[in-house]
Amino acid sequence: MGGLRYIDDVVTVQLDPDACNGCRMCTTVCPHGVFEMKDGRARLADRDACIECGACVRNCAAGALSVDPGVGCAAAVIQGWLTGTEPTCGC
Amino acid sequence: MSECCGPSPSCCGGAAEEYPYSEAPYLSGSVSTLFGEVPAVATGLTRADRLGTLRVRLGLRRSHYRIRPGLYAIGKPDDTTPVLVTANYKLSFDAVRSELAGRDAWLLVLDTQGVNVWCAAGKGTFGTDEVVRQIRETGLANIVGHFTVVLPQLGAPGVAAHEVRAATGFRVVYGPVRAADLPAFLNSQMHATPEMRRVRFGLTDRLTVTGTELAIVRDPRVLAGAAALLLAATLGWLSFPTVLLALTAGLAGLLAGALLVPIALPWIPGRAFSLKGALAGTVAGLALLATAGRTIDTAGSIALVLGVATISSFSAMNFTGASTYTSLSGVLWEMRRAVPLQLIAAISALVALVVSALW
């Protein structure tokens, strides 16, 4: 990521190692290298790099992952505050 | 709004919407299959394609840049040829087909309402249901024998590979993030290197999405506000120096936050975009002050620096949407801290401006 890091200790991604079936799908779909495989199971290698896109959760057939997915977009948040709705990308 | 996002889906229920598709100069005949004729597309981009890209990048007619969804042929594909899936945003379609020059491929275009892959995946229009629907409607199982579709990795937030397989029998293989890596991916038995799997935000990526917020200067409300200030000065209600100060602060803040911060992002201290913007704006404000010299009084000086810093902070914060490494939790974290401070700073700047004007 060329040294570009965002806020630490805030993201909502959770991994239940006991539920992981070792399919590696999360390591494939994550665009920020959040996961790595260790002893046949996924583990969080770089949790703070997560952007909460939800790709891993959607593709985890074992249901071992969870996240509050969303778009990291301030304009969408403001839109949500003004209209009293969830932040949605205005696109 | 951020570059990430395509056009607003002109929304809401009722019958399937008939929207305008771009002209299709990229079509080049058709290919016969067991399931009928499939339109063929050229891989070379024409002048019209490039002009269209430029126009969309400038924010014009983006919502009209759509491809008719469905199956397309590239080269002379047969039942063993790979199937690549993309969105019906023409920039996505162009990026994919232009990388496939000299190859045979099937291109399955999903109806994402003209929105790019990543944004559409976030909304779910590039999603499991649409993949399943297009596989069925195009009769893909009659056209290829390998039961594999290659999806762009950035489509993964919307598509559950295991659900597509359960519904259609087709195995989803996630290809590289960038279309430019498709040739290497296809040449290596569909193996994506870790590098191909990473989203980047290098200088080139940033330059591509920088400046979209500058379009606010074309906003009628902003133009009307500026005109009102100038009119007030002409009528003698406000002094010209005061109006000039306010307009300068506004423009400088916008340039610092929406242009300087995106370009110099890795080199400005801080993690929060609002903080980076405030720092860049303070420096820009002080530089302006140094240039203006003694022509501005103390209150005016405070108004200028605070004003530039605040507008820059707000503009930079809005760039989070165009960046590729921000999370919603992180954006909320910084906004809960920054927005109250921005409001206080904006009010203070206005008070200082009024004080400067009255003195």
Side-chain angles (χ1 to χ4, degrees):
Chain A
M1 204 57 231
L4 280 170
R5 306 282 305 181
Y6 200 42
I7 318 287
D8 284 339
D9 300 324
V10 291
V11 292
T12 54
V13 64
Q14 300 281 354
L15 167 66
D16 175 2
D18 296 330
C20 175
N21 65 10
C23 77
R24 315 181 69 96
M25 206 56 167
C26 53
T27 64
T28 297
V29 297
C30 178
H32 284 285
V34 169
F35 304 97
E36 67 180 16
M37 298 302 292
K38 183 132 194 248
D39 303 329
R41 285 183 184 177
R43 63 180 286 269
L44 291 165
D46 190 2
R47 189 166 190 272
D48 288 330
C50 175
I51 59 168
E52 302 178 325
C53 70
C56 55
V57 177
R58 178 84 67 176
N59 284 278
C60 182
L65 284 159
S66 69
V67 75
D68 294 338
V71 184
C73 175
V77 173
I78 292 171
Q79 186 84 2
W81 284 351
L82 294 179
T83 58
T85 54
E86 287 290 299
T88 51
C89 203
C91 46
Chain B
M1 193 62 54
S2 68
E3 203 279 338
C4 120
C5 307
S8 322
S10 46
C11 126
C12 305
E17 175 192 7
E18 257 312 308
Y19 46 61
Y21 293 106
S22 318
E23 288 172 38
Y26 46 82
L27 290 180
S28 63
S30 64
V31 171
S32 295
T33 72
L34 285 177
F35 209 68
E37 294 288 306
V38 172
V41 295
T43 54
L45 299 187
T46 61
R47 224 182 91 147
D49 293 319
R50 291 181 205 286
L51 274 176
T53 301
L54 186 65
R55 212 170 47 201
V56 171
R57 287 284 179 220
L58 293 172
L60 305 169
R61 293 175 58 83
R62 188 148 57 182
S63 55
H64 296 279
Y65 223 45
R66 299 171 175 197
I67 299 298
R68 192 172 290 280
L71 189 66
Y72 294 89
I74 284 175
K76 292 274 170 264
D78 59 27
D79 61 350
T80 65
T81 309
V83 180
L84 308 179
V85 181
T86 190
N88 78 328
Y89 182 40
K90 187 161 181 288
L91 286 199
S92 312
F93 177 80
D94 281 356
V96 172
R97 70 187 170 103
S98 62
E99 293 298 339
L100 298 172
R103 290 170 192 275
D104 301 324
W106 297 107
L107 205 52
L108 186 63
V109 177
L110 304 189
D111 186 356
T112 61
Q113 304 182 345
V115 173
N116 71 66
V117 172
W118 207 7
C119 273
K123 294 172 201 308
T125 48
F126 192 104
T128 307
D129 291 348
E130 175 62 9
V131 174
V132 169
R133 188 176 78 92
Q134 290 293 347
I135 287 176
R136 287 185 179 148
E137 284 191 4
T138 57
L140 198 59
N142 301 303
I143 294 171
V144 295
H146 50 62
F147 279 90
T148 304
V149 284
V150 178
L151 266 64
Q153 186 189 325
L154 292 186
V159 180
H162 52 282
E163 289 172 15
V164 171
R165 182 156 205 177
T168 64
F170 273 81
R171 186 169 70 102
V172 169
V173 172
Y174 286 109
V177 165
R178 284 165 293 275
D181 288 325
L182 273 174
F185 172 80
L186 293 170
N187 286 345
S188 58
Q189 287 78 49
M190 297 196 187
H191 173 72
T193 63
E195 178 55 25
M196 291 181 198
R197 296 237 167 269
R198 292 299 193 93
V199 162
R200 292 190 293 241
F201 204 44
L203 185 59
T204 322
D205 305 314
R206 297 201 301 278
L207 283 175
T208 313
V209 294
T210 286
T212 41
E213 290 148 77
L214 295 179
I216 197 172
V217 298
R218 290 197 315 231
D219 189 308
R221 287 163 298 185
V222 171
L223 288 176
L229 281 177
L230 286 171
L231 184 66
T234 314
L235 296 175
W237 299 345
L238 290 170
S239 76
F240 262 112
T242 302
V243 168
L244 193 64
L245 192 71
L247 292 180
T248 306
L251 193 61
L254 190 63
L255 288 175
L259 207 59
L260 181 61
V261 170
I263 292 170
L265 200 64
W267 307 295
I268 302 175
R271 296 265 179 109
F273 283 47
S274 46
L275 175 59
K276 288 175 184 279
L279 292 174
T282 305
V283 171
L286 289 172
L288 270 178
L289 201 57
T291 323
R294 288 165 168 264
T295 55
I296 309 177
D297 63 2
T298 308
S301 304
I302 293 170
L304 180 66
V305 177
L306 261 186
V308 177
T310 307
I311 293 168
S312 173
S313 175
F314 186 78
S315 306
M317 192 176 77
N318 275 334
F319 188 66
T320 50
S323 82
T324 59
Y325 71 101
T326 53
S327 61
L328 177 57
S329 295
V331 168
L332 287 171
W333 185 93
E334 78 163 279
M335 287 182 77
R336 277 195 287 267
R337 286 155 182 80
V339 172
L341 292 174
Q342 287 166 350
L343 281 174
I344 292 169
I347 292 167
S348 309
L350 276 178
V351 169
L353 186 68
V354 170
V355 169
S356 161
L358 295 180
W359 242 252

PDB file of all heavy atoms in Angstrom, chain B residues 5 11 24 30 57 99 126 130 139 163 172 180-181 183 204 216 227 232 270 280 299 327 343 358:
ATOM      1  N   CYS B   5     -17.873   6.284  -7.687  1.00  0.00           N
ATOM      2  CA  CYS B   5     -19.259   5.987  -7.968  1.00  0.00           C
ATOM      3  C   CYS B   5     -19.634   6.453  -9.351  1.00  0.00           C
ATOM      4  O   CYS B   5     -19.281   7.523  -9.775  1.00  0.00           O
ATOM      5  CB  CYS B   5     -20.113   6.665  -6.947  1.00  0.00           C
ATOM      6  SG  CYS B   5     -19.534   6.222  -5.328  1.00  0.00           S
ATOM      7  N   CYS B  11     -33.907   5.956 -10.030  1.00  0.00           N
ATOM      8  CA  CYS B  11     -34.339   4.844  -9.223  1.00  0.00           C
ATOM      9  C   CYS B  11     -35.794   4.504  -9.384  1.00  0.00           C
ATOM     10  O   CYS B  11     -36.572   5.220  -9.944  1.00  0.00           O
ATOM     11  CB  CYS B  11     -33.978   5.192  -7.794  1.00  0.00           C
ATOM     12  SG  CYS B  11     -35.268   5.107  -6.638  1.00  0.00           S
ATOM     13  N   ALA B  24     -22.604   1.668 -30.300  1.00  0.00           N
ATOM     14  CA  ALA B  24     -21.776   0.470 -30.167  1.00  0.00           C
ATOM     15  C   ALA B  24     -20.832   0.290 -31.351  1.00  0.00           C
ATOM     16  O   ALA B  24     -20.924  -0.696 -32.086  1.00  0.00           O
ATOM     17  CB  ALA B  24     -22.672  -0.750 -29.986  1.00  0.00           C
ATOM     18  N   SER B  30     -20.530 -11.181 -35.658  1.00  0.00           N
ATOM     19  CA  SER B  30     -21.043 -12.080 -34.631  1.00  0.00           C
ATOM     20  C   SER B  30     -20.422 -13.456 -34.790  1.00  0.00           C
ATOM     21  O   SER B  30     -19.804 -13.765 -35.801  1.00  0.00           O
ATOM     22  CB  SER B  30     -22.567 -12.165 -34.708  1.00  0.00           C
ATOM     23  OG  SER B  30     -22.945 -12.747 -35.937  1.00  0.00           O
ATOM     24  N   ARG B  57     -14.287  11.027 -17.524  1.00  0.00           N
ATOM     25  CA  ARG B  57     -13.344  11.443 -16.487  1.00  0.00           C
ATOM     26  C   ARG B  57     -13.591  12.882 -16.069  1.00  0.00           C
ATOM     27  O   ARG B  57     -13.322  13.280 -14.949  1.00  0.00           O
ATOM     28  CB  ARG B  57     -11.895  11.297 -16.970  1.00  0.00           C
ATOM     29  CG  ARG B  57     -11.434   9.860 -17.042  1.00  0.00           C
ATOM     30  CD  ARG B  57     -11.135   9.315 -15.676  1.00  0.00           C
ATOM     31  NE  ARG B  57     -10.710   7.928 -15.739  1.00  0.00           N
ATOM     32  CZ  ARG B  57     -11.087   6.998 -14.864  1.00  0.00           C
ATOM     33  NH1 ARG B  57     -11.892   7.321 -13.865  1.00  0.00           N
ATOM     34  NH2 ARG B  57     -10.669   5.777 -14.973  1.00  0.00           N
ATOM     35  N   GLU B  99      -7.491  -5.269 -23.195  1.00  0.00           N
ATOM     36  CA  GLU B  99      -6.395  -6.130 -22.714  1.00  0.00           C
ATOM     37  C   GLU B  99      -6.423  -7.501 -23.380  1.00  0.00           C
ATOM     38  O   GLU B  99      -5.545  -8.320 -23.148  1.00  0.00           O
ATOM     39  CB  GLU B  99      -6.481  -6.314 -21.196  1.00  0.00           C
ATOM     40  CG  GLU B  99      -6.224  -5.049 -20.387  1.00  0.00           C
ATOM     41  CD  GLU B  99      -4.822  -4.479 -20.585  1.00  0.00           C
ATOM     42  OE1 GLU B  99      -3.918  -5.235 -21.005  1.00  0.00           O
ATOM     43  OE2 GLU B  99      -4.646  -3.277 -20.334  1.00  0.00           O
ATOM     44  N   PHE B 126     -23.604  -5.668  -8.919  1.00  0.00           N
ATOM     45  CA  PHE B 126     -22.655  -6.676  -9.393  1.00  0.00           C
ATOM     46  C   PHE B 126     -22.716  -7.748  -8.323  1.00  0.00           C
ATOM     47  O   PHE B 126     -21.942  -7.735  -7.368  1.00  0.00           O
ATOM     48  CB  PHE B 126     -21.235  -6.107  -9.535  1.00  0.00           C
ATOM     49  CG  PHE B 126     -20.297  -7.020 -10.298  1.00  0.00           C
ATOM     50  CD1 PHE B 126     -19.945  -6.735 -11.609  1.00  0.00           C
ATOM     51  CD2 PHE B 126     -19.794  -8.164  -9.710  1.00  0.00           C
ATOM     52  CE1 PHE B 126     -19.082  -7.586 -12.310  1.00  0.00           C
ATOM     53  CE2 PHE B 126     -18.943  -9.014 -10.397  1.00  0.00           C
ATOM     54  CZ  PHE B 126     -18.593  -8.715 -11.702  1.00  0.00           C
ATOM     55  N   GLU B 130     -27.323 -11.391 -10.135  1.00  0.00           N
ATOM     56  CA  GLU B 130     -27.121 -10.944 -11.513  1.00  0.00           C
ATOM     57  C   GLU B 130     -26.183 -11.893 -12.262  1.00  0.00           C
ATOM     58  O   GLU B 130     -26.380 -12.160 -13.452  1.00  0.00           O
ATOM     59  CB  GLU B 130     -26.595  -9.500 -11.512  1.00  0.00           C
ATOM     60  CG  GLU B 130     -26.231  -8.923 -12.875  1.00  0.00           C
ATOM     61  CD  GLU B 130     -27.397  -8.822 -13.849  1.00  0.00           C
ATOM     62  OE1 GLU B 130     -28.549  -9.041 -13.454  1.00  0.00           O
ATOM     63  OE2 GLU B 130     -27.127  -8.538 -15.044  1.00  0.00           O
ATOM     64  N   GLY B 139     -27.554 -18.700 -21.733  1.00  0.00           N
ATOM     65  CA  GLY B 139     -27.392 -20.119 -22.056  1.00  0.00           C
ATOM     66  C   GLY B 139     -25.936 -20.541 -22.030  1.00  0.00           C
ATOM     67  O   GLY B 139     -25.490 -21.384 -22.828  1.00  0.00           O
ATOM     68  N   GLU B 163     -22.407 -19.679  -3.775  1.00  0.00           N
ATOM     69  CA  GLU B 163     -23.834 -19.614  -4.122  1.00  0.00           C
ATOM     70  C   GLU B 163     -24.047 -19.659  -5.639  1.00  0.00           C
ATOM     71  O   GLU B 163     -25.019 -20.234  -6.126  1.00  0.00           O
ATOM     72  CB  GLU B 163     -24.473 -18.348  -3.530  1.00  0.00           C
ATOM     73  CG  GLU B 163     -24.616 -18.433  -2.015  1.00  0.00           C
ATOM     74  CD  GLU B 163     -25.060 -17.121  -1.380  1.00  0.00           C
ATOM     75  OE1 GLU B 163     -25.531 -16.222  -2.113  1.00  0.00           O
ATOM     76  OE2 GLU B 163     -24.917 -16.991  -0.146  1.00  0.00           O
ATOM     77  N   VAL B 172     -16.752 -20.096  -9.785  1.00  0.00           N
ATOM     78  CA  VAL B 172     -16.259 -18.728  -9.905  1.00  0.00           C
ATOM     79  C   VAL B 172     -14.767 -18.710  -9.590  1.00  0.00           C
ATOM     80  O   VAL B 172     -14.351 -19.181  -8.533  1.00  0.00           O
ATOM     81  CB  VAL B 172     -16.991 -17.773  -8.936  1.00  0.00           C
ATOM     82  CG1 VAL B 172     -16.296 -16.426  -8.870  1.00  0.00           C
ATOM     83  CG2 VAL B 172     -18.449 -17.616  -9.353  1.00  0.00           C
ATOM     84  N   ALA B 180      -5.413  -4.751 -16.492  1.00  0.00           N
ATOM     85  CA  ALA B 180      -4.089  -4.790 -17.115  1.00  0.00           C
ATOM     86  C   ALA B 180      -3.345  -6.084 -16.794  1.00  0.00           C
ATOM     87  O   ALA B 180      -2.439  -6.478 -17.529  1.00  0.00           O
ATOM     88  CB  ALA B 180      -3.259  -3.579 -16.656  1.00  0.00           C
ATOM     89  N   ASP B 181      -3.723  -6.742 -15.686  1.00  0.00           N
ATOM     90  CA  ASP B 181      -3.060  -7.997 -15.318  1.00  0.00           C
ATOM     91  C   ASP B 181      -3.735  -9.219 -15.933  1.00  0.00           C
ATOM     92  O   ASP B 181      -3.290 -10.349 -15.703  1.00  0.00           O
ATOM     93  CB  ASP B 181      -3.036  -8.152 -13.787  1.00  0.00           C
ATOM     94  CG  ASP B 181      -2.055  -7.186 -13.136  1.00  0.00           C
ATOM     95  OD1 ASP B 181      -1.005  -6.910 -13.748  1.00  0.00           O
ATOM     96  OD2 ASP B 181      -2.347  -6.714 -12.024  1.00  0.00           O
ATOM     97  N   PRO B 183      -3.844 -10.407 -19.103  1.00  0.00           N
ATOM     98  CA  PRO B 183      -3.007 -11.250 -19.965  1.00  0.00           C
ATOM     99  C   PRO B 183      -2.086 -12.168 -19.172  1.00  0.00           C
ATOM    100  O   PRO B 183      -2.028 -13.376 -19.436  1.00  0.00           O
ATOM    101  CB  PRO B 183      -2.203 -10.228 -20.788  1.00  0.00           C
ATOM    102  CG  PRO B 183      -3.073  -9.011 -20.816  1.00  0.00           C
ATOM    103  CD  PRO B 183      -3.755  -8.978 -19.484  1.00  0.00           C
ATOM    104  N   THR B 204      -0.355   7.653  -9.700  1.00  0.00           N
ATOM    105  CA  THR B 204      -1.187   7.633 -10.903  1.00  0.00           C
ATOM    106  C   THR B 204      -2.651   7.411 -10.551  1.00  0.00           C
ATOM    107  O   THR B 204      -3.547   8.081 -11.086  1.00  0.00           O
ATOM    108  CB  THR B 204      -0.733   6.511 -11.858  1.00  0.00           C
ATOM    109  OG1 THR B 204       0.691   6.448 -11.814  1.00  0.00           O
ATOM    110  CG2 THR B 204      -1.183   6.774 -13.262  1.00  0.00           C
ATOM    111  N   ILE B 216     -17.183  21.551  -7.537  1.00  0.00           N
ATOM    112  CA  ILE B 216     -18.099  22.339  -6.722  1.00  0.00           C
ATOM    113  C   ILE B 216     -18.106  23.807  -7.164  1.00  0.00           C
ATOM    114  O   ILE B 216     -19.098  24.515  -6.980  1.00  0.00           O
ATOM    115  CB  ILE B 216     -17.723  22.227  -5.215  1.00  0.00           C
ATOM    116  CG1 ILE B 216     -18.889  22.695  -4.349  1.00  0.00           C
ATOM    117  CG2 ILE B 216     -16.464  23.003  -4.888  1.00  0.00           C
ATOM    118  CD1 ILE B 216     -18.699  22.443  -2.878  1.00  0.00           C
ATOM    119  N   ALA B 227     -21.280  35.484  -6.331  1.00  0.00           N
ATOM    120  CA  ALA B 227     -21.852  36.638  -7.015  1.00  0.00           C
ATOM    121  C   ALA B 227     -22.505  37.588  -6.010  1.00  0.00           C
ATOM    122  O   ALA B 227     -22.376  38.809  -6.113  1.00  0.00           O
ATOM    123  CB  ALA B 227     -22.873  36.174  -8.060  1.00  0.00           C
ATOM    124  N   ALA B 232     -22.642  42.622  -3.083  1.00  0.00           N
ATOM    125  CA  ALA B 232     -22.673  43.349  -1.814  1.00  0.00           C
ATOM    126  C   ALA B 232     -21.518  44.345  -1.750  1.00  0.00           C
ATOM    127  O   ALA B 232     -21.674  45.466  -1.254  1.00  0.00           O
ATOM    128  CB  ALA B 232     -22.608  42.371  -0.654  1.00  0.00           C
ATOM    129  N   GLY B 270      -0.093  12.512   9.508  1.00  0.00           N
ATOM    130  CA  GLY B 270      -1.418  12.168  10.020  1.00  0.00           C
ATOM    131  C   GLY B 270      -2.045  11.031   9.238  1.00  0.00           C
ATOM    132  O   GLY B 270      -1.642  10.731   8.123  1.00  0.00           O
ATOM    133  N   ALA B 280      -2.431  20.914   5.567  1.00  0.00           N
ATOM    134  CA  ALA B 280      -2.142  21.513   4.254  1.00  0.00           C
ATOM    135  C   ALA B 280      -2.765  22.899   4.151  1.00  0.00           C
ATOM    136  O   ALA B 280      -2.150  23.830   3.615  1.00  0.00           O
ATOM    137  CB  ALA B 280      -2.666  20.598   3.139  1.00  0.00           C
ATOM    138  N   ALA B 299      -7.318  40.438  12.748  1.00  0.00           N
ATOM    139  CA  ALA B 299      -8.552  39.652  12.653  1.00  0.00           C
ATOM    140  C   ALA B 299      -8.687  39.035  11.255  1.00  0.00           C
ATOM    141  O   ALA B 299      -9.063  37.875  11.101  1.00  0.00           O
ATOM    142  CB  ALA B 299      -9.759  40.527  12.965  1.00  0.00           C
ATOM    143  N   SER B 327     -11.906   2.686   5.583  1.00  0.00           N
ATOM    144  CA  SER B 327     -13.058   1.897   6.015  1.00  0.00           C
ATOM    145  C   SER B 327     -14.140   2.832   6.523  1.00  0.00           C
ATOM    146  O   SER B 327     -13.852   3.962   6.933  1.00  0.00           O
ATOM    147  CB  SER B 327     -12.649   0.965   7.146  1.00  0.00           C
ATOM    148  OG  SER B 327     -12.185   1.730   8.250  1.00  0.00           O
ATOM    149  N   LEU B 343     -16.740  22.860  12.452  1.00  0.00           N
ATOM    150  CA  LEU B 343     -17.821  23.820  12.664  1.00  0.00           C
ATOM    151  C   LEU B 343     -17.354  24.996  13.529  1.00  0.00           C
ATOM    152  O   LEU B 343     -17.600  26.156  13.197  1.00  0.00           O
ATOM    153  CB  LEU B 343     -19.023  23.133  13.333  1.00  0.00           C
ATOM    154  CG  LEU B 343     -19.903  22.304  12.403  1.00  0.00           C
ATOM    155  CD1 LEU B 343     -20.972  21.553  13.198  1.00  0.00           C
ATOM    156  CD2 LEU B 343     -20.570  23.216  11.361  1.00  0.00           C
ATOM    157  N   LEU B 358     -15.533  45.265  10.320  1.00  0.00           N
ATOM    158  CA  LEU B 358     -16.117  46.373  11.079  1.00  0.00           C
ATOM    159  C   LEU B 358     -15.065  47.339  11.596  1.00  0.00           C
ATOM    160  O   LEU B 358     -15.354  48.494  11.870  1.00  0.00           O
ATOM    161  CB  LEU B 358     -16.940  45.824  12.252  1.00  0.00           C
ATOM    162  CG  LEU B 358     -18.180  45.009  11.863  1.00  0.00           C
ATOM    163  CD1 LEU B 358     -18.914  44.523  13.095  1.00  0.00           C
ATOM    164  CD2 LEU B 358     -19.113  45.854  10.980  1.00  0.00           C
TER     165      LEU B 358
END
